[in-house]
Amino acid sequence: MILTKINEITLGEAGVYGLLGYGMVFLGLVLLMFLVMILGKAFMVAEKKAAKKTVVEETPAEEVKPVAPGAAGQLSLNNVDPKTAAMLMAIVADKLQKPINELRFISVKEVE
Amino acid sequence: MNIGQILLNLWNASGFAAMTWQNGVMLIIGCVLLYLAIVKKFEPLLLCGIAFGCILTNLPMANLYHQELWTAFMNKEIGYGEILKNGGLLDFFYIGVKTSIYPCLIFMGVGAMTDFGPLLSYPKSLLLGAAAQMGVFVAFFGAVVLGFTGPQAASIGIIGGADGPTAIFLTSKLAPELLGAIAVAAYSYMALIPLIQPPFMKLLTTKKEREIKMEQTRKVSKAEKIIFPIAVTLFVALLLPDTAPLIGCLMLGNLAKETGVTDRLSDTMQNALMNIVTILLSVSVGATMVGTTFLTGETLKIVVLGVCAFILSTVGGLLVGKLMCWLTKGKINPLIGSAGVSAVPMAARVANLEGQKANPSNFLLMHAMGPNVAGVIGPAIAAGFLLNIFG
């Protein structure tokens, strides 16, 4: 590191510092570019390996549950667990003042 | 009891009696800057404070800021103790500028607001960020030609990096007597990017080149975004240790944003911290606009060199953009090269707008953000180099 403070400089020195400085910025960012490229490639390779290792297990056939009286078919649940769906159906039935087995629910979906 | 004498004494003790022509001119300049900030919306968050600081410091006998104390400090005749003992309110605010605390904290907030994803998905953007620093070094040379000393020329040249905190950081260390003029020039020209850049973008590119649509870049994982600030800090600070304060703070802010477990810190950096430091920084910088040092031929030269630096940085980015377009056989739109001028996100928006003028279905914004954020790192490296030489 140049410890002495350089105040007055000649045009020639200014030109050299200018070129050196621009070169230094390019060097720094080019090396950074290679670093980012290497990191990017390493992450992409790691992600591919992780994707290959994932084993899709066959889900066992679900037991056919008897349809409750009044239900016209299967209820479709989207991002909702059965317990939450059951609570929602109970609330709707209560608000409508109708027995739940007289209502047909087709789908319950969580809207984000 | 002589009422006339009392009134005369009151008048003589007032600021009106002590007003000089320089005070008057600077008060008018402060009001003009306020107009630009409030009505024309030129970087109002900073220019408002700078303008008001200018007004406060030029109020005669208010004793808010003492140029002579800081001149003695620069000549190592006094220390911070003297400043605290004899200084005014704006002298105390200015300590944060002199110690480089404010620019570094602003950079921390900038890092917390920056998404380096576009850069990570297309690392060649860094080349455009580097190219767009051409204005820094050409303006540096031009400043030496016009008679400025090395440290002053370096401070003037860094205006071409279009990075306010970096310009203030470097100028406060190398040429604090020029801080007011350089800060006003830097922030004013950043606000004028939509006016300065488009003519050169049209001049240096063909319509066919401006119409080029670029491919969608890859998705960047969260892990990459977390590793990036750590890697950049280690690499750049080891390469040029003088960049450590700026780059370290920038990347600390970015890391806080990307980890997902420091959201409270990131929120503070982006909001409360940025706002507090912006207030103190802008008023302190404005306080250095004392009439006796601001109203000189040097200020006019700085204004001219500043706009040249901006233009040349734009030209540098566009020329390398054209080169990359040619080397990739037309896959890169050269307009994104102008976004290497680090006025985030204004320069990227201007590149996007010019691309859409040529081809309405062309969306260059995310591609332009890569060079735009690369342009934040570029001036910091340039400043580190210049500090190494002249500091």
Side-chain angles (χ1 to χ4, degrees):
Chain A
M1 184 171 137
I2 299 171
L3 297 173
T4 55
K5 193 169 178 173
I6 302 169
N7 276 343
E8 305 295 334
I9 59 172
T10 64
L11 288 181
E13 284 169 338
V16 168
Y17 289 140
L19 285 169
L20 262 178
Y22 200 30
M24 187 56 125
V25 170
F26 256 105
L27 176 70
L29 290 180
V30 162
L31 291 174
L32 194 58
M33 179 184 78
F34 286 127
L35 180 67
V36 170
M37 279 173 164
I38 291 166
L39 276 173
K41 288 234 156 40
F43 274 105
M44 282 199 292
V45 164
E47 274 168 20
K48 274 184 189 161
K49 278 186 183 169
K52 276 183 189 170
K53 275 186 186 172
T54 303
V55 175
V56 179
E57 294 175 356
E58 284 188 8
T59 54
E62 286 181 12
E63 287 178 25
V64 178
K65 291 178 184 167
V67 173
Q74 286 191 349
L75 173 64
S76 170
L77 298 181
N78 299 300
N79 291 330
V80 177
D81 59 280
K83 189 176 172 186
T84 306
M87 281 195 297
L88 286 169
M89 289 189 283
I91 291 166
V92 168
D94 181 59
K95 292 289 181 192
L96 290 174
Q97 297 287 306
K98 282 186 182 275
I100 196 167
N101 61 348
E102 288 183 17
L103 297 172
R104 286 182 192 175
F105 294 90
I106 299 168
S107 159
V108 179
K109 179 182 174 184
E110 185 181 357
V111 177
E112 288 177 10
Chain B
M1 185 167 65
N2 189 341
I3 291 179
Q5 189 62 42
I6 292 168
L7 289 174
L8 184 65
N9 290 343
L10 276 171
W11 170 259
N12 286 337
S14 74
F16 288 106
M19 179 87 73
T20 62
W21 72 268
Q22 288 106 328
N23 292 138
V25 171
M26 290 310 296
L27 290 173
I28 293 169
I29 289 175
C31 293
V32 168
L33 291 175
L34 273 176
Y35 170 81
L36 290 175
I38 297 167
V39 178
K40 297 294 182 188
K41 296 188 176 37
F42 275 27
E43 294 285 337
L45 293 178
L46 275 139
L47 208 52
C48 252
I50 291 175
F52 210 79
C54 172
I55 289 171
L56 289 175
T57 203
N58 285 286
L59 292 169
M61 298 175 72
N63 293 321
L64 288 166
Y65 180 77
H66 299 82
Q67 182 68 58
E68 65 279 8
L69 280 178
W70 290 105
T71 304
F73 180 87
M74 281 296 292
N75 294 333
K76 299 192 194 314
E77 292 164 15
I78 60 171
Y80 284 116
E82 276 298 312
I83 305 279
L84 289 169
K85 194 174 153 192
N86 298 315
L89 177 68
L90 298 185
D91 292 306
F92 305 150
F93 283 5
Y94 188 68
I95 290 174
V97 174
K98 204 75 194 85
T99 52
S100 303
I101 292 174
Y102 296 159
C104 292
L105 290 178
I106 293 263
F107 238 36
M108 196 185 290
V110 168
M113 292 194 288
T114 302
D115 178 11
F116 284 104
L119 173 65
L120 290 169
S121 65
Y122 192 67
K124 287 174 190 164
S125 302
L126 284 160
L127 292 174
L128 296 168
Q133 306 314 309
M134 184 170 92
V136 172
F137 297 99
V138 176
F140 162 75
F141 183 79
V144 173
V145 167
L146 290 178
F148 287 98
T149 63
Q152 290 175 333
S155 303
I156 293 167
I158 204 70
I159 295 174
D163 194 320
T166 306
I168 291 169
F169 174 83
L170 189 68
T171 308
S172 64
K173 285 182 182 298
L174 295 184
E177 68 277 12
L178 302 179
L179 181 61
I182 286 173
V184 169
Y187 284 109
S188 299
Y189 294 141
M190 273 191 265
L192 289 172
I193 283 272
L195 292 175
I196 295 173
Q197 286 195 323
F200 296 94
M201 290 159 91
K202 287 179 187 138
L203 190 69
L204 293 171
T205 56
T206 63
K207 190 166 188 295
K208 199 174 165 197
E209 285 172 339
R210 292 197 293 275
E211 285 174 349
I212 292 172
K213 274 178 142 182
M214 293 177 65
E215 282 173 10
Q216 183 99 1
T217 48
R218 69 177 179 90
K219 203 162 176 264
V220 175
S221 67
K222 188 178 169 184
E224 279 182 90
K225 287 189 180 183
I226 292 174
I227 297 287
F228 177 74
I230 303 168
V232 168
T233 304
L234 289 172
F235 175 73
V236 176
L238 285 170
L239 182 70
L240 269 175
D242 287 311
T243 61
L246 282 175
I247 292 287
C249 286
L250 178 73
M251 293 301 158
L252 172 62
N254 190 246
L255 185 66
K257 172 185 181 287
E258 297 297 350
T259 59
V261 296
T262 48
D263 288 347
R264 279 177 56 179
L265 301 184
S266 171
D267 180 61
T268 297
M269 289 174 190
Q270 293 181 46
N271 296 298
L273 184 67
M274 272 284 263
N275 292 338
I276 291 168
V277 178
T278 298
I279 293 165
L280 296 172
L281 173 71
S282 57
V283 173
S284 311
V285 166
T288 63
M289 293 169 66
V290 177
T292 47
T293 51
F294 191 83
L295 294 173
T296 59
E298 288 183 337
T299 301
L300 201 58
K301 289 179 193 173
I302 289 169
V303 168
V304 171
L305 285 165
V307 75
C308 291
F310 260 71
I311 290 168
L312 288 164
S313 288
T314 302
V315 166
L318 284 168
L319 289 176
V320 172
K322 279 179 77 89
L323 178 65
M324 287 173 72
C325 178
W326 179 70
L327 287 170
T328 57
K329 295 184 174 49
K331 285 187 182 160
I332 291 174
N333 190 319
L335 286 175
I336 65 170
S338 66
V341 174
S342 149
V344 183
M346 183 61 72
R349 283 191 192 150
V350 170
N352 180 55
L353 198 62
E354 290 303 315
Q356 285 190 316
K357 282 181 186 173
N359 180 355
S361 67
N362 200 353
F363 296 98
L364 290 172
L365 185 64
M366 289 320 289
H367 297 100
M369 282 305 293
N372 210 200
V373 298
V376 177
I377 303 174
I381 295 179
F385 172 81
L386 292 167
L387 200 53
N388 191 296
I389 299 293
F390 297 108

